[in-house]
Amino acid sequence: KELSFDKKIDLEAAIYLIDLSLFKLKELRQWEKNPDIVSSLGDSIFPLFAREFAPFEKRLKSIISRIEKFPKVIEEVKTRIKDPVRLWVEMAIESCETLPTFLDEILRVAKEKKVNKKIVLKLEKANEKAKKSIENYKNYLKKLLKKSKDEFAIGEEKFRKLIELRKLEMTPEEILSFGEKQLEELKNKLKILAEEIKPGASVEEAIKLVEQNHPKDFQEILKCYRESIKISKEFVKEMDFATIPKKENLIVMETPVYMRHFIPFAAYFQPAKFEKNQIGIYIVTPPYTENLGKYNYADINNTSVHEGYPGHHLQLTCANQNKSLIRLLLNPTELVEGWAHYCEEEMKNLGFDNSPEGWFVLTKDMIWRAARIIVDVKLSTGKMSYDEAVKFLMDNVGMEEVRAKAEVNRYTLSPSYQLSYLIGKHLIKKLKEEIMQKMGNKFSNKFFHDTMLYSGNLPIYLMRKVFEEKILDKK
């Protein structure tokens, strides 16, 4: 009773986080099933390499100190793998094959920047020991394959409990029904939009017309992403969409090789909480084939809104401004991914790339998110096999097989994550309608957006309480 409102929210957030964490540790137990420590090792040095928060030589010393610990960590991981999943072991083997190329890249840059020779020599030694350890681990994993199980699904009971603990305000049945309904409605909408692109065109013909308008090569693609980020940021300012914090920046770069087998398109790495300059990293994965159609201009604009402004980068940078450390530890997917997905449509409504091609791509991406709901629920509960999930994405979203497999690989590791995009957007829009009704003509988009952004990473049910308190304050 003596706590301030913010501390009460922090207390609820802490209990929410603990309950969810204990469930994952005690009941889901992925730590004894997934042996892919190597990609995590890559993740431990990637931000140090990519974010220029300190001179390169200083960052390189930290990178070396971490690489030197790789062999010890790898040996320790072997002691916890008691119930390996075949698919995850195969993914771990792939990480072993790709991470050494990233270590080579760090060495190449160190030599190129003419770093002190003693430091370069230390990096070379650390790299060699790490590579040897990774190679030995790969051999260990190949033996582990023989005693690995095929089943990765958490099952209906655990999935239901996971959804309850996440407090998504919907049951698994309601979530699945919502996804199926959305998939059907969005497919019909896409047919209408195809006609707007070219009268009489089918969806397939419209896709071809949109996809033929793309940059000439991957370097040009990266350049277009950077330009799109810049334009969308200016649009956010111009429309007074939300308050952009000072000293923030977003770097666009190619996805490191070791990540590409589970990041088929793009991803975002947020700035560290206490960095003076809030630098985010937006990675883009090169095409698996020579087909550059998926990197068409309309797609680039939509993805940049999702990953950059006012999507992930703006949201997570603003969340860092909140004083609460508890909220920093939370990562409610329905807020983080729901917000980025909400922004795609909201920016179009305000006029950002609201061409027929832009709306067509947005709707096509919404179909992908609706398909994700269905796959996530059915795959996690064991009602859909891996191969069926891959085929479902190929048939309903038009994905190439190699990308569909990379998608499903990711889904198996993160039950209930993928459904959070469209469900999160739905919950945010629902919350917005509630606040608009309560505030009437005192409501503004900027008030809603800034409250969402600067309240920190809170699940939607707690975000609602924040709004209720703010409305009381305004009265």
Side-chain angles (χ1 to χ4, degrees):
K1 288 180 182 178
E2 293 172 7
L3 293 176
S4 67
F5 173 77
D6 278 346
K7 291 295 180 187
K8 283 177 183 175
I9 293 292
D10 281 357
L11 178 60
E12 280 198 66
I15 293 166
Y16 164 90
L17 174 65
I18 290 165
D19 286 344
L20 202 50
S21 300
L22 285 174
F23 171 72
K24 289 178 179 178
L25 286 167
K26 288 182 170 184
E27 297 188 47
L28 295 190
R29 305 178 73 86
Q30 281 197 0
W31 51 270
E32 65 181 9
K33 299 173 183 179
N34 180 16
D36 191 7
I37 185 61
V38 174
S39 63
S40 298
L41 296 176
D43 290 347
S44 76
I45 56 174
F46 175 65
L48 290 170
F49 180 68
R51 280 212 291 265
E52 296 180 3
F53 59 88
F56 180 73
E57 195 164 294
K58 189 176 181 181
R59 288 182 284 130
L60 188 60
K61 287 177 182 177
S62 293
I63 289 170
I64 293 167
S65 73
R66 294 186 185 194
I67 294 173
E68 285 173 340
K69 295 179 178 70
F70 281 13
K72 184 175 184 287
V73 174
I74 287 171
E75 284 306 307
E76 287 177 350
V77 165
K78 291 178 184 177
T79 66
R80 66 164 166 82
I81 307 302
K82 299 189 174 104
D83 189 22
V85 171
R86 184 178 304 280
L87 174 64
W88 300 347
V89 176
E90 289 169 351
M91 289 165 69
I93 290 169
E94 198 166 346
S95 294
C96 290
E97 291 167 349
T98 53
L99 184 63
T101 60
F102 183 45
L103 299 179
D104 290 339
E105 173 67 5
I106 295 169
L107 181 61
R108 183 191 67 78
V109 172
K111 287 178 177 177
E112 196 177 85
K113 288 183 178 284
K114 295 184 168 52
V115 170
N116 182 294
K117 286 182 180 178
K118 284 184 179 178
I119 296 172
V120 171
L121 187 63
K122 198 175 180 184
L123 174 62
E124 283 178 332
K125 286 180 179 177
N127 276 1
E128 285 312 307
K129 285 182 181 177
K131 283 181 184 178
K132 188 176 178 183
S133 178
I134 291 167
E135 185 62 30
N136 290 338
Y137 190 57
K138 186 171 85 171
N139 294 330
Y140 160 80
L141 291 171
K142 284 178 178 177
K143 291 175 185 174
L144 196 64
L145 270 176
K146 294 172 186 175
K147 53 180 179 179
S148 298
K149 64 177 186 181
D150 291 325
E151 188 54 61
F152 52 76
I154 63 173
E156 205 163 341
E157 190 181 330
K158 286 178 182 173
F159 186 76
R160 186 175 300 281
K161 189 170 180 184
L162 177 58
I163 295 298
E164 283 172 8
L165 287 169
R166 286 189 57 196
K167 300 183 188 292
L168 291 178
E169 305 171 359
M170 297 170 82
T171 65
E173 290 80 12
E174 287 169 338
I175 290 169
L176 180 60
S177 175
F178 176 80
E180 289 171 338
K181 187 182 176 187
Q182 285 288 304
L183 185 63
E184 189 179 339
E185 288 177 3
L186 290 165
K187 280 184 173 181
N188 290 330
K189 187 179 177 181
L190 199 65
K191 288 175 186 175
I192 296 166
L193 289 166
E195 289 263 357
E196 289 183 24
I197 289 171
K198 184 184 176 184
S202 66
V203 168
E204 289 71 25
E205 287 168 337
I207 289 171
K208 284 179 183 175
L209 287 169
V210 171
E211 289 189 351
Q212 70 187 19
N213 194 15
H214 59 75
K216 62 181 180 180
D217 56 33
F218 187 65
Q219 288 313 307
E220 198 64 34
I221 285 166
L222 285 177
K223 201 181 287 184
C224 286
Y225 270 106
R226 291 181 184 117
E227 186 60 26
S228 178
I229 289 288
K230 187 179 170 185
I231 293 167
S232 58
K233 182 178 180 178
E234 287 307 310
F235 188 85
V236 168
K237 288 180 184 174
E238 186 187 321
M239 300 305 295
D240 211 18
F241 186 97
T243 306
I244 297 177
K246 293 175 182 176
K247 293 186 177 180
E248 58 74 36
N249 192 22
L250 181 56
I251 297 167
V252 180
M253 62 188 294
E254 188 174 331
T255 303
V257 175
Y258 80 92
M259 293 181 184
R260 292 178 192 175
H261 60 291
F262 55 88
I263 298 177
F265 299 105
Y268 171 76
F269 289 80
Q270 72 188 87
K273 168 82 172 172
F274 299 109
E275 284 176 5
K276 283 182 183 176
N277 297 314
Q278 292 280 290
I279 302 167
I281 302 166
Y282 174 17
I283 57 174
V284 182
T285 304
Y288 290 93
T289 65
E290 291 181 9
N291 178 19
L292 300 180
K294 301 295 178 190
Y295 301 85
N296 60 78
Y297 294 111
D299 248 309
I300 287 172
N301 285 335
N302 199 50
T303 312
S304 294
V305 165
H306 182 98
E307 304 288 355
Y309 303 91
H312 286 323
H313 176 65
L314 184 61
Q315 189 263 313
L316 291 164
T317 302
C318 292
N320 276 352
Q321 313 304 306
N322 192 284
K323 291 178 182 178
S324 166
L325 294 181
I326 289 289
R327 299 182 200 188
L328 184 70
L329 296 173
L330 268 66
N331 188 28
T333 327
E334 76 278 12
L335 174 82
V336 177
E337 296 296 358
W339 167 263
H341 193 30
Y342 158 83
C343 288
E344 295 172 27
E345 188 174 357
E346 194 63 15
M347 287 281 276
K348 287 275 187 291
N349 288 332
L350 292 171
F352 182 78
D353 189 24
N354 62 347
S355 62
E357 291 79 8
W359 279 106
F360 184 85
V361 162
L362 172 75
T363 307
K364 192 161 72 72
D365 278 0
M366 284 175 71
I367 287 170
W368 170 30
R369 271 49 177 261
R372 274 180 162 179
I373 292 176
I374 298 162
V375 173
D376 195 351
V377 174
K378 290 188 174 182
L379 197 69
S380 300
T381 54
K383 292 175 181 175
M384 182 182 273
S385 70
Y386 179 92
D387 290 339
E388 285 169 341
V390 171
K391 189 174 186 304
F392 189 87
L393 290 177
M394 289 171 71
D395 292 346
N396 288 278
V397 187
M399 277 189 196
E400 301 160 313
E401 187 179 6
V402 66
R403 285 192 184 272
K405 283 183 175 178
E407 278 277 302
V408 177
N409 286 351
R410 182 179 166 193
Y411 296 7
T412 64
L413 286 163
S414 51
S416 88
Y417 187 103
Q418 308 306 323
L419 61 82
S420 304
Y421 290 73
L422 198 51
I423 292 296
K425 176 183 173 179
H426 167 69
L427 293 175
I428 288 169
K429 287 175 79 172
K430 183 182 164 191
L431 176 61
K432 188 177 182 180
E433 284 170 16
E434 290 171 23
I435 305 306
M436 286 172 81
Q437 283 180 357
K438 286 180 181 178
M439 294 185 73
N441 58 11
K442 290 182 180 178
F443 176 88
S444 75
N445 252 346
K446 191 175 185 184
F447 163 75
F448 181 76
H449 295 153
D450 275 2
T451 302
M452 291 285 293
L453 291 167
Y454 287 93
S455 296
N457 288 330
L458 290 173
I460 301 295
Y461 84 98
L462 287 179
M463 195 65 81
R464 180 175 282 106
K465 293 185 180 185
V466 170
F467 272 104
E468 286 167 0
E469 182 72 8
K470 278 193 173 286
I471 291 168
L472 279 175
D473 283 349
K474 275 186 173 287
K475 284 181 181 176

